[in-house]
Amino acid sequence: MFKPRRGDRVTAERVTADFWFDPACPWAWMTSRWMTEVEKVRPVDVRWRVMSLAVLNEDKLDQVPEEYRAYLRTDAWGPVRVCVAAAAEFGDEVLGRLYTAIGTRFHNEALPRDRGTIAAALEEAGLPARLIEAYDSDAFDEDLRLSHKEGIDKVGQDVGTPIIAVPGPEGQEVAFFGPVVTPAPRGEAAARLWDGTLLVAGTPGFFEIKRTRTVGPVFD
């Protein structure tokens, strides 16, 4: 259990961190694995939420590479639709294990990002096989867009996934994109990154720290 040291700016009060993800994004997957570590070393509970790279990019498809454009128009919709359908029926609490099942297959195992892979993830997550019908249906697209908008409105249109939002000082919410990190920090390293991220993100007027990525996502 986390015990704050004298001089720490974090507290032992439990907070809920809303985490918006698209399971297709490898960098969001890295950040999500870090957040599962943060839950172990800080008084944080993650509430998983869904956003969509397809929705984010639908007005700028002419600006992305052709191969990615084709993906955004087709298979990018299926996984997030299934996630939203699962949450609509069983609550947001099922999203953590479903995201883990999908993300492990997509990223660690490099399986096809298709209907069959999502069906297997549903089985692993203990969810009904019938939810796969949402993959090719627009029945949950309104809910998907609302969830996406709720996250993106907190940080603006110039970012992607993931988005994290937590209660801040004096009741003010702190929301940010990222952090983008690889490999996912563990243990005390995860705790330090969490503390530092909250410190900079909670600073009034702070907007960005960035440097060129020199490596790709490291899945372990």
Side-chain angles (χ1 to χ4, degrees):
M1 178 66 65
F2 165 62
K3 296 181 179 179
R5 300 177 297 271
R6 180 177 298 176
D8 280 350
R9 300 189 66 176
V10 293
T11 73
E13 181 181 352
R14 296 202 70 81
V15 298
T16 296
D18 286 300
F19 187 109
W20 279 265
F21 68 92
D22 183 320
C25 178
W27 292 105
W29 177 244
M30 288 285 89
T31 308
S32 75
R33 297 311 90 184
W34 163 64
M35 283 303 300
T36 62
E37 283 291 305
V38 171
E39 286 186 301
K40 301 173 186 176
V41 294
R42 289 292 184 263
V44 175
D45 299 310
V46 178
R47 180 165 55 198
W48 304 98
R49 314 288 292 278
V50 185
M51 63 183 297
S52 168
L53 292 172
V55 173
L56 182 68
N57 289 284
E58 63 183 348
D59 294 331
K60 45 191 174 187
L61 288 175
D62 58 340
Q63 303 173 28
V64 302
E66 183 176 351
E67 182 178 356
Y68 187 42
R69 187 184 316 146
Y71 173 74
L72 290 173
R73 285 173 170 163
T74 55
D75 286 329
W77 288 92
V80 288
R81 283 170 167 170
V82 172
C83 287
V84 170
E89 183 168 350
F90 298 102
D92 288 340
E93 57 268 23
V94 305
L95 287 176
R97 65 178 188 267
L98 180 56
Y99 182 24
T100 294
I102 296 173
T104 300
R105 286 167 169 77
F106 278 7
H107 306 298
N108 298 66
E109 300 175 10
L111 293 177
R113 302 183 181 189
D114 60 14
R115 186 183 174 107
T117 297
I118 301 302
L122 284 169
E123 182 179 4
E124 180 184 324
L127 293 166
R130 58 180 163 74
L131 287 173
I132 195 60
E133 298 307 316
Y135 192 98
D136 298 308
S137 169
D138 62 2
F140 292 92
D141 284 6
E142 182 177 354
D143 290 344
L144 171 60
R145 290 180 182 277
L146 287 173
S147 180
H148 175 90
K149 184 177 187 299
E150 185 177 355
I152 207 72
D153 281 354
K154 296 179 183 296
V155 292
Q157 295 289 332
D158 296 330
V159 303
T161 176
I163 293 167
I164 298 174
V166 295
E170 300 178 359
Q172 298 296 313
E173 185 178 61
V174 176
F176 49 89
F177 160 72
V180 177
V181 62
T182 190
R186 308 285 185 183
E188 185 58 26
R192 289 196 303 269
L193 179 58
W194 177 251
D195 296 344
T197 299
L198 292 187
L199 177 63
V200 296
T203 300
F206 175 84
F207 293 106
E208 187 174 7
I209 287 178
K210 191 171 183 177
R211 57 186 173 190
T212 300
R213 301 176 197 173
T214 58
V215 296
V218 177
F219 308 122
D220 55 20

